[in-house]
Amino acid sequence: MAPFKSGDLLHLTRAASVQFSRPFFFRLIRVLEDRITYDGWVWIEGYELDARGEAVARREPFVQPAGLRKLSTARKPAPVRTRSL
């Protein structure tokens, strides 16, 4: 699942797993690579988002990466600016 990284916004639908009869948006924390899975499946960890993009539940869904739709890429944090006195 290399093309996905922490912070990515994903859309989880039935294409990722039949358990998602109601599609939802998901902010990825990480791929749980230490778990044993079936070929073509992975466990991911992150937050289910509401319509405003706010986290409403932390989840660990079991998905087929081929069925995930990436909506945006994680942004690099802005550099910290300091003022000299």
Side-chain angles (χ1 to χ4, degrees):
M1 196 166 137
F4 300 103
K5 59 185 176 286
S6 179
D8 283 350
L9 177 62
L10 306 173
H11 192 221
L12 276 65
T13 67
R14 288 179 87 68
S17 176
V18 295
Q19 66 184 313
F20 306 128
S21 58
R22 180 188 58 86
F24 63 94
F25 298 104
F26 188 80
R27 178 72 63 192
L28 183 67
I29 295 173
R30 64 187 173 134
V31 177
L32 300 169
E33 296 176 357
D34 58 336
R35 294 192 182 174
I36 298 170
T37 65
Y38 295 104
D39 188 40
W41 291 79
V42 295
W43 286 95
I44 57 176
E45 180 179 10
Y47 292 98
E48 180 177 348
L49 306 177
D50 65 11
R52 296 177 303 168
E54 300 290 324
V56 293
R58 189 167 181 155
R59 296 183 65 171
E60 292 183 0
F62 188 51
V63 299
Q64 292 180 311
L68 296 175
R69 195 169 121 223
K70 184 169 29 172
L71 301 176
S72 71
T73 303
R75 289 178 262 140
K76 292 182 181 178
V80 178
R81 297 180 186 206
T82 58
R83 281 178 52 155
S84 52
L85 299 173

